[in-house]
């Protein structure tokens, strides 16, 4: 196992429901350390850029509208196998398929309003961390982010 960094987003639905504290508690119970964080509201353009990989998908316009509909909480998580560890505690993208006890099973309402986002690979994590925290990426000479 290797020390990794991953990008996590608490989405507008979960911020509106005041779930930041409960979600941070799940990170900490699962040894995912929050190393840098900020609360931001994305513009439509920023949301389009972040989710650029999905731009041909039918759900892209709704995804962009939702992700720019209110503030989000963005954080870099550090742990052994942080990428897979975070995805495990998030659960399936679709909350109806998410395992009991996962963040999406407990806090998401639909596949669109699904409470959290987490990088799906180390490569994606590097890009997503640089998108939100360029200064953190630039300071990564001594760690693999
Ligand atoms: P996320 O992990 O943030 O990555 C892309 C997002 O697109 C996903 O979570 C969902 O919230 C959203 N989405 C909306 N509709 C769909 C769909 N039909 N299939 C997959 N993702 C979807």
């Amino acid at each position: 196992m290797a020390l990794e960094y991953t990008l996590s987003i608490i989405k507008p639905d979960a911020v509106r429901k005041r779930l930041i504290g409960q979600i941070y508690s799940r990170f900490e119970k699962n040894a995912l350390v929050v190393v840098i964080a900020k609360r931001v509201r994305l513009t439509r353009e920023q949301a389009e850029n972040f989710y650029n990989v999905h731009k041909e998908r039918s759900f892209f316009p709704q995804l962009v509208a939702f992700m720019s509909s209110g503030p989000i909480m963005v954080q870099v998580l550090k742990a052994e196998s942080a990428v897979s560890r975070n995805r495990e505690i998030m659960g399936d993208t679709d909350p109806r398929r998410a395992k009991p006890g996962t963040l999406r099973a407990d806090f998401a309402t639909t596949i669109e309003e699904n409470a959290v986002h987490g990088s799906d690979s180390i490569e994606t994590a590097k890009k997503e961390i640089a998108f939100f925290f360029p200064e953190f990426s630039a300071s990564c000479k001594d760690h693999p982010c």
Side-chain angles (χ1 to χ4, degrees), residues 47-120:
E48 281 170 4
N49 289 339
F50 182 76
Y51 279 114
N52 188 42
V53 66
H54 296 304
K55 68 175 184 293
E56 307 301 339
R57 307 289 293 271
S58 59
F59 58 79
F60 185 68
Q62 295 94 299
L63 176 61
V64 167
F66 169 61
M67 288 302 290
S68 55
S69 69
I72 57 174
M73 192 75 200
V74 195
Q75 44 282 323
V76 175
L77 306 176
K78 172 180 147 182
E80 296 285 334
S81 306
V83 172
S84 58
R85 189 180 293 236
N86 184 41
R87 289 182 72 80
E88 211 170 298
I89 70 160
M90 288 196 306
D92 196 284
T93 307
D94 184 345
R96 289 171 303 184
R97 291 204 220 129
K99 282 192 199 142
T102 59
L103 292 170
R104 283 164 170 164
D106 291 346
F107 301 134
T109 42
T110 64
I111 195 165
E112 278 150 5
E113 305 212 355
N114 66 351
V116 283
H117 166 83
S119 310
D120 63 6

Side-chain angles (χ1 to χ4, degrees), residues 12-26:
D13 56 324
V15 173
R16 274 194 280 272
K17 292 182 202 160
R18 301 184 183 182
L19 292 169
I20 293 172
Q22 289 191 60
I23 293 172
Y24 266 46
S25 170
R26 299 278 182 100

